[in-house]
């Protein structure tokens, strides 16, 4: 059963001049951890706001847990948990006060649903008297998640919960989402970090209001595969410029210490490229064929969509 | 109901933890009362006067003594000719010259009528006005004392007549003025700013995506400020009575009830601003320029409305503060009852209903 | 070390009892791309503020572009560039006005500035957008312009505080192309980031944990030292041991 159903949603701003979402359709199954992956300005927040009944779409239909986002607004507001992209709790209230307040707003008490947040809450409990404004990024994010969970929502919307958070806190955060998923909560989460795609059941890649692809991470990569080479040498900037000038190069992007290269001739040109680079006398030159990762795939899809 | 109390409690936390708003809420009324009461007083005390007495009789002596003994004047000099007046003013030693004509007492006794001239240094027109008024009041006092023993009253030709405020205490003007200003500032500005703050911080987004009805959000934001405004009103009245010696002539209950109505008026204005605005700065700006300035100009507190050109007089009618200021003066200073303020009350009530209706109509349950 | 663009020795900053930066010692060489990593609250921001001349240290030594952080704050500010994700450009000014404004702040002579602005707009390929408001441009472009503005006065060193947060993978790499290009011209780059693959673009990387520098070396050496395949692994091993979270 679909927990979130989105059909042909289009949304514009500024009287139709700015297209935020362009005819988007997909569904999230009940109990699924679904990732919406794309850069800032892709339309992720707009989609979240439409699904949480904060905005009206220009056209198209959407439902959450069977309730229509237009007609059943109050039903949806009772059963969803929402964590907006910007930290949106009261900075001048303590952890404890924030949590109690939001519990009351949702007609419940912290005690009643403590089992849901316990695992997360114990991590910030030592600081429960501290004002939310004085917490670190990781702690704020945990508190915000507690507040979004306190009324035992059926569907959880998390808009860029890990943006600006360091890798350790990010990993911990995703571990928490895994445990929530195990409790049967449907989770729609957005992120600009491509590496987080591997933590989702399925993902949608979104760019400039359009869905580039929807599937499991593995399938998306598999479906968009092209021969890819990693090229590495000590003088990386010179190497990069030279690779880009090379006639057969289609794309060359920096990836960590390497450059990822796609050739116009695909496999056929590999030996020629190898010979070309060898003639340039780089020290420590390393060339190998590699499997693309999600970021390679996203770049490929982005370039295709812009053609 | 539980939600409502949680909200009110939260709102008090906000206020208590924000030192600046706390200072504005409690400190501002106190500071304004003290400033207007003592520092910025338009009362003139111990002004130096000079006497030019062409009569030099018993009556003039008595009157001069009385003027000298009053707390407003000190007789500094006695002049002998009108030519000296200019010089005295130029030296700046005296503010007022009191001139008695020859035969002052005679005229009074035989014709029951006499004249006096008051010449003030009008380089400071306000002070000049006030000193003249004070002097006139003393002279009228003197005249009525004299008349008490006689069948035919004595009259001394003086034009100014002061009703209700015989001592010309300026607190009678500014206490109602401070009350209206504080209400505007707290009721309208602080309320609108605090609601808009929720929008700015993004917390409004979470509140909207909750089963809580939007009207609850608005009401629960307004109630704490209503309480605070009411506390401030009581604070101002206590200061007026016990520090500035300004008695409340009319019914206190009526005064508080009318104040409560005006508080609701300002709150509805605050709500109206907050539903239309998305940043605290804009809310503040609109409150200051759109509400506080008209309140200052058109309430009659700083500038008498009667003296304004007709279009401005008409305009003053749409400023709610004018009506509340009017009410406070009538109840507090003149001591009159409800029957005298029915019109004003109805106008305020109408305005409140109007603002509130628009505010609630325009409140969005979505983001755009 | 006369040759260093940044030189610190036992640099410490306390806030009351809290030691935000705990005796850090490191050198950054001219033309180097230096990655300054650490978990949230590890003390990165404080250290960066000190190096930019915005905050005085409690003890220890530090020079930036040869100037002392205790006494020569104004000199430091003239010789560095700074760009952060939070504040970069005025959204209500056009591209051209922004460049002119920031150029003026850094004391570029008027005559020279005109040419520089045109050259920059050309290089960025923004001829059509030069007179549009910055607010109307995509985030990626803003960041590219912001970076160009930060190095317009040819500073010895430029500080980049999480410059690529939230940008799409292609723009992010185009941004790094600009960083590589600036570094190849001899401008020293001091950059913080939460993207661990970006850490590998750096010549050397330092990782702060609990106010101290827990590791400092080339990405390759760090990976070998910790026996992991990528910088993510290095970071996780170090930061997991952190005691404080803010």
């Amino acid at each position: 059963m679909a927990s979130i159903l989105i059909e042909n949603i289009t949304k514009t701003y500024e009287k139709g001049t700015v297209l935020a979402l362009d005819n988007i359709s997909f569904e999230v199954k009940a109990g699924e951890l679904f990732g919406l992956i794309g850069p800032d300005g892709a339309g992720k927040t707009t989609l979240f706001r439409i699904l949480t009944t904060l905005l009206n779409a220009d056209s198209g239909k959407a439902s959450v847990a069977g309730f229509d986002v237009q007609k059943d607004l109050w039903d949806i507001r009772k059963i969803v948990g929402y964590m907006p992209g910007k930290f949106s709790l009261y900075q001048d209230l303590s952890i404890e006060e924030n949590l109690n307040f939001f519990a009351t707003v949702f007609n419940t008490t912290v005690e009643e649903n403590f089992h849901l947040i316990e695992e997360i809450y114990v991590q910030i409990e030592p600081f429960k008297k501290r004002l939310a404004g004085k917490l670190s990024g990781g702690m704020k994010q945990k508190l915000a998640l507690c507040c979004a969970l306190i009324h035992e929502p059926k569907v959880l919307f998390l808009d860029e919960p890990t943006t600006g958070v360091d890798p350790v806190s990010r990993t911990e955060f995703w571990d928490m989402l895994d445990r929530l998923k195990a409790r049967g909560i449907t989770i729609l989460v957005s992120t600009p970090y491509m590496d987080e795609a591997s933590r989702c059941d399925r993902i949608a890649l979104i760019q400039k209001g359009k869905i580039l692809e929807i599937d499991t991470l593995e399938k998306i990569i598999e479906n968009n595969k092209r021969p890819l080479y990693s090229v590495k040498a000590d003088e990386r900037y010179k190497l990069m410029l030279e690779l880009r000038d090379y006639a057969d190069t289609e794309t060359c992007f920096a990836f960590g210490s390497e450059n990822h290269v796609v050739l116009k001739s695909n496999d056929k040109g590999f030996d020629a490229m190898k010979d070309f680079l060898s003639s340039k006398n780089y020290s420590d030159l390393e060339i190998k064929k590699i499997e693309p990762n999600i970021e390679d795939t996203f770049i490929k899809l982005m370039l295709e969509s812009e053609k | 109901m539980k939600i409502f109390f949680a909200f009110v409690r939260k709102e008090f936390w906000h206020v208590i933890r924000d030192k600046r708003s706390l200072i504005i809420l409690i400190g501002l009324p106190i500071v304004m009362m003290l400033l207007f009461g003592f520092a910025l007083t338009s009362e003139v005390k111990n002004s130096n006067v000079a006497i030019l007495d062409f009569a030099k009789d018993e009556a003039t002596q008595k009157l001069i003594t009385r003027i000298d003994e009053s707390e407003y004047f000190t007789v500094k000099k006695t002049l002998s000719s009108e030519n000296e007046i200019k010089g005295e003013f130029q030296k700046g030693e005296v503010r007022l010259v009191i001139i008695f004509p020859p035969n002052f007492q005679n005229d009074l006794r035989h014709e029951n009528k006499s004249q006096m001239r008051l010449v003030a240094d009008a380089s400071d027109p306000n002070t000049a006005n006030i000193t003249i008024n004070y002097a006139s009041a003393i002279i009228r006092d003197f005249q009525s004392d004299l008349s008490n023993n006689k069948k035919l009253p004595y009259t001394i030709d003086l034009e100014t007549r002061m009703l209700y405020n015989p001592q010309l205490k300026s607190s009678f003007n500014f206490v109602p003025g401070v009350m209206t200003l504080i209400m505007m500032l707290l009721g309208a500005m602080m309320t609108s700013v605090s609601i808009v703050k929720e929008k700015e911080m993004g917390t409004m987004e979470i509140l909207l995506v909750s089963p809580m009805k939007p009207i609850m959000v608005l009401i629960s934001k307004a109630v704490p400020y209503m309480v605070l405004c009411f506390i401030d009103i009581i604070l101002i009245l206590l200061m007026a009575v016990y520090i500035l010696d300004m008695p409340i002539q009319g019914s206190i209950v009526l005064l508080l009830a009318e104040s409560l109505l005006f508080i609701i008026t300002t709150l509805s204005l605050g709500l109206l601003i907050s539903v239309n605005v998305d940043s605290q700065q804009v809310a503040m700006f609109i409150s200051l320029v759109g509400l506080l300035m008209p309140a200052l100009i058109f309430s009659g507190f700083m500038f008498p409305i009667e003296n304004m050109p007709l279009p401005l007089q008409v305009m003053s009618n749409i400023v709610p503060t004018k009506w509340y200021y009017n009410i406070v003066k009538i109840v507090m200073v003149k001591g009159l009852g409800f029957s005298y303020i029915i019109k004003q009350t109805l106008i305020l009530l109408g305005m409140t209903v109007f603002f509130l209706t628009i505010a609630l109509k325009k409140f969005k349950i979505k983001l755009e | 070390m006369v040759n260093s663009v940044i030189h610190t020795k036992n640099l410490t900053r306390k806030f009351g009892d809290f030691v935000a930066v705990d005796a850090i010692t490191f050198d950054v060489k001219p033309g180097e791309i230096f990655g300054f990593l650490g978990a949230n609250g590890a003390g990165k921001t404080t250290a960066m503020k000190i190096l930019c001349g915005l905050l005085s240290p409690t003890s220890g030594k530090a020079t930036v572009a040869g100037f002392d952080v205790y006494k020569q704050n104004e000199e430091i500010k003239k010789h560095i560039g700074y760009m952060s994700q939070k504040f970069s450009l005025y959204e209500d000014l056009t591209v051209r006005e922004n460049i002119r404004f920031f150029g003026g702040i850094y004391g570029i002579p008027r005559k020279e500035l005109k040419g520089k602005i045109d050259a920059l707009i050309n290089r960025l390929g923004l001829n059509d957008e030069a007179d549009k408001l910055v607010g109307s441009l995509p985030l990626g472009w803003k960041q590219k312009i912001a970076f160009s503005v930060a190095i317009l006065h040819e500073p010895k060193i430029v500080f980049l505080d999480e410059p690529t947060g939230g940008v799409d993978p292609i723009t992010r790499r185009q941004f790094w192309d600009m960083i590589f290009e600036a570094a190849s011209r001899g401008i020293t780059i001091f950059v913080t980031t939460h993207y661990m693959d970006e850490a590998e673009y750096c010549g050397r990387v330092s990782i702060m944990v609990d106010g101290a520098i827990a590791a400092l070396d080339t990405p390759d050496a760090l990976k070998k030292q910790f026996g992991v395949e990528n910088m993510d692994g290095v970071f996780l091993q170090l930061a997991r041991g952190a005691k404080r979270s803010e």
Side-chain angles (χ1 to χ4, degrees):
Chain A
M1 194 201 105
S3 183
I4 303 172
L5 192 63
I6 301 160
E7 290 173 75
N8 306 104
I9 288 280
T10 295
K11 170 79 188 171
T12 57
Y13 292 115
E14 314 278 337
K15 299 192 175 95
T17 52
V18 180
L19 184 63
L21 291 175
D22 188 3
N23 199 16
I24 281 192
S25 305
F26 66 88
E27 60 171 78
V28 178
K29 297 186 197 98
E32 201 171 19
L33 175 52
F34 192 96
L36 197 58
I37 296 178
D40 283 6
K44 301 188 300 276
T45 300
T46 304
L47 184 60
F48 272 89
R49 287 181 170 167
I50 290 173
L51 293 174
T52 52
T53 74
L54 285 171
L55 286 180
N56 290 323
D58 293 359
S59 62
K61 269 174 67 177
S63 67
V64 175
F67 296 113
D68 186 276
V69 289
Q70 291 276 2
K71 281 178 272 166
D72 311 319
L73 183 132
W74 293 110
D75 294 303
I76 291 182
R77 290 184 180 189
K78 279 184 201 118
I79 54 144
V80 301
Y82 174 42
M83 191 171 148
K86 214 176 83 185
F87 177 71
S88 304
L89 300 174
Y90 296 100
Q91 313 259 1
D92 54 345
L93 263 53
S94 69
I95 288 185
E96 222 177 3
E97 289 162 351
N98 264 299
L99 196 56
N100 277 318
F101 174 72
F102 282 105
T104 320
V105 164
F106 281 93
N107 268 321
T108 180
T109 58
V110 175
E111 293 72 35
E112 201 175 316
N113 288 318
F114 192 69
H115 62 281
L116 266 174
I117 59 163
E118 191 172 358
E119 271 177 291
I120 309 163
Y121 187 67
V122 289
Q123 300 175 44
I124 50 174
E125 202 180 8
F127 313 98
K128 65 181 177 188
K129 301 275 180 214
R130 200 183 280 185
L131 299 187
K134 299 233 159 84
L135 299 174
S136 70
M139 273 157 75
K140 275 183 182 168
Q141 175 207 44
K142 281 169 194 158
L143 173 60
L145 184 61
C146 283
C147 289
L149 275 173
I150 195 64
H151 57 293
E152 201 173 6
K154 291 200 172 67
V155 184
L156 199 54
F157 293 94
L158 309 174
D159 191 5
E160 296 207 8
T162 54
T163 294
V165 178
D166 66 71
V168 176
S169 304
R170 270 161 54 191
T171 312
E172 282 173 12
F173 193 81
W174 281 96
D175 292 343
M176 288 185 297
L177 294 191
D178 281 342
R179 290 192 286 270
L180 290 174
K181 190 191 126 190
R183 289 176 186 272
I185 300 177
T186 307
I187 305 173
L188 179 63
V189 56
S190 72
T191 175
Y193 298 103
M194 302 285 151
D195 55 334
E196 292 179 350
S198 62
R199 306 291 306 252
C200 305
D201 294 335
R202 284 193 310 145
I203 54 173
L205 300 182
I206 182 168
Q207 161 80 358
K208 292 186 181 161
K210 285 199 180 83
I211 300 274
L212 301 176
E213 197 96 9
I214 304 166
D215 215 323
T216 62
L217 176 68
E218 295 73 21
K219 277 193 185 147
I220 289 182
I221 293 175
E222 192 58 41
N223 292 344
N224 291 287
K225 221 166 166 180
R226 271 185 76 178
L228 184 72
Y229 305 100
S230 150
V231 183
K232 184 179 166 183
D234 273 352
E235 287 172 278
R236 69 167 309 158
Y237 186 56
K238 187 170 160 244
L239 173 68
M240 196 166 83
L241 293 181
E242 214 143 40
L243 274 169
R244 285 188 186 158
D245 280 344
Y246 181 60
D248 195 27
T249 302
E250 186 164 312
T251 59
C252 165
F253 289 106
F255 270 78
S257 57
E258 308 154 3
N259 293 295
H260 287 188
V261 181
V262 176
L263 297 176
K264 288 174 191 156
S265 58
N266 288 329
D267 276 336
K268 289 172 207 141
F270 178 57
D271 290 329
M273 175 182 71
K274 219 168 157 180
D275 293 343
F276 165 74
L277 289 174
S278 304
S279 72
K280 297 283 175 181
N281 295 322
Y282 283 100
S283 59
D284 262 352
L285 182 70
E286 255 178 61
I287 308 173
K288 59 186 179 200
K289 189 169 181 191
I290 52 165
E291 290 296 308
N293 63 28
I294 180 65
E295 210 156 335
D296 291 306
T297 309
F298 194 93
I299 289 176
K300 172 178 177 278
L301 289 167
M302 247 182 95
L303 291 171
E304 279 173 10
S305 77
E306 279 167 10
K307 262 177 202 162
Chain B
M1 224 33 203
K2 227 176 92 197
I3 297 184
F4 176 73
F5 281 120
F7 226 107
V8 172
R9 193 174 57 212
K10 177 200 75 123
E11 218 53 45
F12 276 110
W13 281 332
H14 286 321
V15 174
I16 288 164
R17 282 179 198 167
D18 182 7
K19 293 283 177 301
R20 272 175 305 175
S21 69
L22 201 62
I23 288 170
I24 293 178
L25 283 168
I26 306 296
L28 197 67
I30 296 180
V31 170
M32 271 175 100
M33 286 293 280
L34 293 179
L35 267 178
F36 279 106
F38 296 106
L40 299 178
T41 178
S42 47
E43 283 174 48
V44 178
K45 284 191 180 150
N46 291 322
S47 273
N48 290 332
V49 295
I51 307 288
L52 180 53
D53 187 355
F54 293 110
K56 294 209 169 82
D57 51 32
E58 196 189 334
T60 60
Q61 270 318 309
K62 265 191 190 159
L63 187 48
I64 290 169
T65 315
R66 191 177 279 209
I67 288 170
D68 195 25
E69 278 172 351
S70 82
E71 58 173 316
Y72 305 113
F73 300 108
T74 310
V75 174
K76 180 95 180 189
K77 266 193 177 155
T78 311
L79 308 180
S80 51
S81 107
E82 285 193 38
N83 300 335
E84 292 170 55
I85 297 177
K86 248 191 178 166
E88 288 305 320
F89 283 158
Q90 275 162 4
K91 276 188 263 167
E93 278 182 13
V94 300
R95 290 177 179 281
L96 182 72
V97 177
I98 301 172
I99 306 167
F100 296 97
N103 304 321
F104 182 75
Q105 185 166 298
N106 261 349
D107 287 354
L108 269 183
R109 286 204 180 140
H110 301 297
E111 296 171 31
N112 284 344
K113 202 175 152 138
S114 188
Q115 286 177 326
M116 273 181 73
R117 269 203 294 155
L118 301 176
V119 181
D121 175 1
S123 58
D124 176 357
N126 258 336
T127 318
N129 219 340
I130 293 162
T131 44
I132 294 250
N133 283 339
Y134 286 159
S136 318
I138 296 172
I139 293 163
R140 258 196 321 277
D141 249 23
F142 172 75
Q143 162 197 316
S144 64
D145 283 359
L146 276 183
S147 310
N148 274 346
N149 320 323
K150 302 285 179 299
K151 280 179 201 156
L152 270 172
Y154 293 124
T155 43
I156 301 172
D157 267 0
L158 281 167
E159 291 158 10
T160 348
R161 218 168 67 99
M162 286 288 141
L163 198 63
Y164 303 122
N165 189 3
Q167 299 135 303
L168 280 170
K169 281 226 173 185
S170 59
S171 55
F172 285 29
N173 255 321
F174 80 76
V175 169
V178 169
M179 283 167 76
T180 49
L181 285 186
I182 293 282
M183 293 307 99
M184 264 299 164
L185 212 63
L186 301 190
M189 190 169 94
M190 300 285 276
T191 313
S192 64
V193 166
S194 90
I195 295 178
V196 173
K197 191 175 171 191
E198 302 245 356
K199 289 194 195 175
E200 254 185 28
M201 298 300 293
T203 41
M204 192 58 106
E205 225 172 299
I206 298 191
L207 292 180
L208 283 177
V209 186
S210 80
M212 193 167 171
K213 292 284 186 285
I215 179 135
M216 273 292 268
V217 180
L218 288 188
I219 293 177
S220 23
K221 285 296 270 193
V223 165
Y225 286 95
M226 193 154 98
V227 174
L228 287 167
C229 284
F230 208 69
I231 291 175
D232 276 338
I233 285 280
I234 290 170
L235 195 68
I236 292 174
L237 290 179
L238 284 175
M239 285 181 78
V241 173
Y242 292 105
I243 300 182
L244 301 169
D245 289 329
M246 180 192 171
I248 298 167
Q249 304 286 357
S251 148
I252 295 185
V253 178
L254 180 61
L255 186 62
L256 291 181
E258 293 286 341
S259 298
L260 194 62
L261 170 63
F262 184 64
I263 290 171
I264 299 173
T265 316
T266 59
L267 287 175
S268 55
L269 274 170
L271 294 182
L272 189 60
I273 293 174
S274 66
V275 294
N276 286 302
V277 160
D278 285 321
S279 89
Q280 293 184 62
Q281 279 159 318
V282 179
M284 189 100 82
F285 183 75
I286 293 184
S287 313
L288 284 177
V289 176
L291 297 179
L292 212 60
M293 250 171 51
L296 265 174
I297 296 169
F298 290 119
S299 62
F301 154 48
M302 295 291 228
F303 315 101
I305 295 174
E306 310 87 78
N307 297 350
M308 293 180 184
L310 192 66
L312 288 184
Q313 286 195 33
V314 174
M315 226 165 94
S316 73
N317 288 326
I318 59 165
V319 179
T321 37
K322 174 190 166 169
W323 303 105
Y324 177 65
Y325 180 73
N326 214 288
I327 290 172
V328 176
K329 280 199 92 167
I330 290 175
V331 176
M332 198 170 167
V333 183
K334 299 186 187 174
L336 300 174
F338 182 63
S339 55
Y340 291 86
I341 50 169
I342 292 177
K343 185 182 98 181
Q344 289 90 324
T345 308
L346 286 178
I347 291 174
L348 271 188
L349 204 61
M351 285 178 165
T352 309
V353 172
F354 178 71
F355 296 141
L356 216 51
T357 316
I358 303 186
L360 292 180
K361 271 226 166 106
K362 291 204 85 174
F363 185 83
K364 297 159 216 137
I365 56 168
K366 300 207 167 193
L367 280 179
E368 57 171 24
Chain C
M1 274 232 255
V2 191
N3 236 343
S4 305
V5 178
I6 297 178
H7 167 70
T8 74
K9 194 158 187 212
N10 294 325
L11 190 67
T12 302
R13 170 72 204 203
K14 292 179 190 166
F15 294 104
D17 288 339
F18 180 72
V19 188
V21 175
D22 191 1
I24 58 173
T25 302
F26 66 93
D27 281 275
V28 180
K29 293 181 219 99
E32 188 175 20
I33 301 180
F34 190 84
F36 198 59
L37 313 186
N40 298 93
K44 275 179 313 188
T45 312
T46 309
M48 209 144 142
K49 278 186 185 158
I50 294 174
L51 295 177
C52 291
L54 300 174
L55 196 69
S56 278
T58 312
S59 64
K61 272 206 295 194
T63 59
V64 176
F67 300 106
D68 185 24
V69 293
Y70 286 94
K71 288 174 245 154
Q72 295 168 294
N73 299 15
E74 293 312 311
E75 286 301 314
I76 289 178
K77 285 179 200 167
K78 268 183 221 158
H79 289 85
I80 62 168
Y82 178 79
M83 173 200 163
S84 92
Q85 204 191 344
K86 281 161 211 134
F87 172 79
S88 40
L89 300 167
Y90 291 100
E91 304 256 309
D92 54 352
L93 295 184
T94 66
V95 176
R96 196 184 295 277
E97 286 162 350
N98 262 295
I99 303 175
R100 192 183 302 142
F101 173 77
F102 284 104
I105 280 191
Y106 282 107
I108 300 174
R110 253 171 186 285
K111 281 178 193 163
E112 215 176 296
L113 192 55
K114 179 85 183 67
K116 278 200 168 196
I117 294 173
D118 291 337
L120 177 59
I121 288 172
N122 248 322
R123 191 160 30 140
L124 291 172
L126 288 174
N127 287 307
D128 291 340
E129 280 80 16
D131 295 308
K132 282 191 186 160
L133 295 186
V134 164
S136 68
L137 299 177
L139 178 69
W141 291 19
K142 285 184 210 167
Q143 281 163 323
K144 283 184 215 165
I145 301 167
F147 178 70
S148 309
V149 165
I151 59 169
L152 193 65
H153 61 297
E154 299 287 326
K156 289 216 170 80
I157 177 162
V158 60
F159 291 88
L160 307 174
D161 193 4
E162 287 180 41
T164 56
V167 199
D168 71 67
I170 294 181
T171 312
R172 205 148 65 80
R173 289 180 171 77
Q174 288 169 344
F175 190 88
W176 271 93
D177 288 353
M178 293 178 71
I179 294 181
F180 289 137
E181 194 269 336
S184 75
R185 282 194 284 132
I187 296 177
T188 309
I189 313 282
F190 189 94
V191 59
T192 72
T193 178
H194 281 322
Y195 291 98
M196 285 306 125
D197 61 325
E198 289 188 350
E200 307 214 18
Y201 301 162
C202 302
R204 285 189 307 150
V205 168
S206 81
I207 299 177
M208 269 184 97
V209 177
D210 291 345
I213 290 183
L216 198 173
D217 213 327
T218 62
D220 279 340
L222 285 175
K223 283 185 275 182
K224 251 175 232 152
Q225 184 189 335
F226 287 87
V228 288
E229 274 181 21
N230 52 32
M231 283 304 291
D232 234 338
V234 177
F235 190 88
L236 288 182
Q237 280 197 25
L238 282 170
R240 278 248 160 83
K243 282 177 205 80
R244 76 185 194 214
S245 54
E246 182 87 318

